[in-house]
C-alpha cells in the first residue's frame, strides 16, 4: 500500500541529503561492472532512468549523449550539480519512469540502476524502457532480485511489507520481468551480497532476431 509514485517522490526527496553517504561507496563496484557490460560506441544516445544523484556518471564514456530522469526534483538537481562538477553535458529532467516523455525508439542504451525494485509497477517501467529503445538497443540493469529459480518464502514476503515502504521490494525476479517485457538477456552477473544484487545486460530484439 505504501509503494506508490507519490510516496516514492516524498521519501526520495527526504533521502536525497544523505543518499550519497550511503550509496556511493557501497555501489561503486556494482555500477562499474554493470556499465562495463554495455557495448559502448561513440555518439550513442543514453537515458539514465531513476538517476538519483548521478552516481553512475563517473563510469560512463565521455563521447555519448546523456539524458537523465528521476521522480524527485531534489535528486535531479543533485545530478545536474554532479554533472557540472564532472564537466559532463547531461540533460536532466523530472519524470516518472513509468511514463517517459520521449519518442519511440529514441535511445541506444537505457540504464536502470536500483529502480526496478523500487517503482510501484516495474512491468510498466520496463515497457517504457522497451518503447524508447531502438531495435537492438541495450538495457543495463543493476538491482536486488529474488532468485529466479525460487519464489519468495512467506517470511520474505512478510518482511517485504516493511522494506517496500522504507526502501525497496525484495521479492522481484529479474528474468521473468525482463523476458515478459520483451527483452533478450545477454548477461547476468552477481555483484554484491552473495548475489542479492545482480547486473544484467539485455537487448531489445531486432526484426531479424
Amino acid at each position: 500500500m505504501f509503494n506508490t509514485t507519490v510516496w516514492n517522490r516524498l521519501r526520495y526527496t527526504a533521502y536525497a541529503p544523505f543518499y550519497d553517504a550511503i550509496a556511493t561507496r557501497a555501489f561503486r563496484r556494482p555500477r562499474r561492472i554493470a556499465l562495463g557490460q554495455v557495448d559502448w560506441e561513440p555518439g550513442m544516445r543514453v537515458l539514465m532512468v531513476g538517476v538519483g544523484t548521478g552516481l553512475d556518471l563517473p563510469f560512463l564514456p565521455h563521447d555519448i549523449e546523456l539524458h537523465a530522469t528521476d521522480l524527485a526534483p531534489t535528486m535531479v538537481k543533485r545530478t545536474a550539480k554532479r554533472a557540472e562538477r564532472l564537466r559532463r553535458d547531461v540533460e536532466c529532467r523530472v519524470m516518472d519512469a513509468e511514463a517517459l516523455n520521449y519518442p519511440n525508439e529514441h535511445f541506444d542504451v537505457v540504464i536502470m540502476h536500483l529502480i526496478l525494485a523500487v517503482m510501484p509497477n516495474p512491468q510498466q517501467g520496463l515497457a517504457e524502457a522497451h518503447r524508447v529503445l531502438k531495435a537492438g538497443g541495450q538495457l543495463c540493469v543493476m538491482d536486488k532480485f529474488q532468485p529466479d529459480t525460487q519464489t519468495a518464502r512467506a517470511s520474505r514476503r512478510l518482511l517485504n511489507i516493511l522494506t517496500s515502504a522504507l526502501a525497496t521490494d525484495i521479492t522481484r525476479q529479474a528474468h521473468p520481468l525482463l523476458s515478459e517485457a520483451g527483452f533478450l538477456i545477454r548477461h547476468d552477473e552477481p555483484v554484491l551480497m552473495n548475489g542479492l544484487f545482480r547486473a544484467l545486460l539485455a537487448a531489445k530484439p531486432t526484426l531479424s532476431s
Side-chain angles (χ1 to χ4, degrees):
M1 64 181 282
F2 284 107
N3 194 354
T4 66
T5 298
V6 172
W7 175 240
N8 282 341
R9 183 182 290 110
L10 288 172
R11 65 188 174 111
Y12 277 95
T13 297
Y15 297 163
F18 50 89
Y19 185 85
D20 284 2
I22 297 171
T24 301
R25 186 171 182 179
F27 293 105
R28 183 179 291 118
R29 179 176 174 271
R31 292 179 194 278
R32 184 183 293 113
I33 292 173
L35 294 169
Q37 296 175 356
V38 177
D39 297 322
W40 296 109
E41 294 180 11
M44 279 180 158
R45 183 181 291 145
V46 178
L47 174 63
M48 296 179 285
V49 180
V51 68
T53 61
L55 293 176
D56 287 317
L57 287 175
F59 310 111
L60 290 165
H62 281 262
D63 54 358
I64 58 176
E65 177 185 323
L66 278 173
H67 300 254
T69 70
D70 200 278
L71 188 63
T74 305
M75 290 291 197
V76 172
K77 290 178 181 178
R78 288 176 179 265
T79 292
K81 289 180 180 179
R82 174 167 273 114
E84 185 177 356
R85 290 197 303 269
L86 295 173
R87 298 182 179 179
R88 300 298 302 262
D89 185 11
V90 184
E91 181 183 312
C92 300
R93 300 173 63 183
V94 177
M95 198 178 298
D96 185 351
E98 297 179 13
L100 296 174
N101 188 21
Y102 293 108
N104 294 347
E105 300 188 351
H106 192 62
F107 294 99
D108 300 290
V109 178
V110 171
I111 299 167
M112 302 183 81
H113 285 177
L114 304 176
I115 182 173
L116 285 179
V118 172
M119 64 175 59
N121 187 349
Q123 294 88 349
Q124 179 59 28
L126 284 168
E128 281 292 272
H130 191 278
R131 179 184 65 79
V132 301
L133 266 177
K134 298 176 182 178
Q138 300 170 82
L139 174 69
C140 180
V141 170
M142 187 271 290
D143 219 321
K144 66 199 75 57
F145 293 106
Q146 165 79 15
D148 297 308
T149 55
Q150 63 187 60
T151 57
R153 296 178 179 177
S155 58
R156 189 178 183 118
R157 294 196 301 272
L158 185 61
L159 178 61
N160 189 59
I161 297 173
L162 176 62
T163 62
S164 292
L166 297 178
T168 182
D169 194 297
I170 57 173
T171 65
R172 294 175 181 174
Q173 296 174 299
H175 280 241
L177 278 172
L178 296 178
S179 298
E180 289 169 13
F183 288 101
L184 300 176
I185 298 171
R186 291 169 45 185
H187 194 75
D188 182 354
E189 181 176 345
V191 292
L192 191 66
M193 295 180 66
N194 294 320
L196 173 63
F197 288 84
R198 287 150 59 191
L200 299 99
L201 183 68
K204 179 176 179 176
T206 60
L207 290 177
S208 60
S209 61

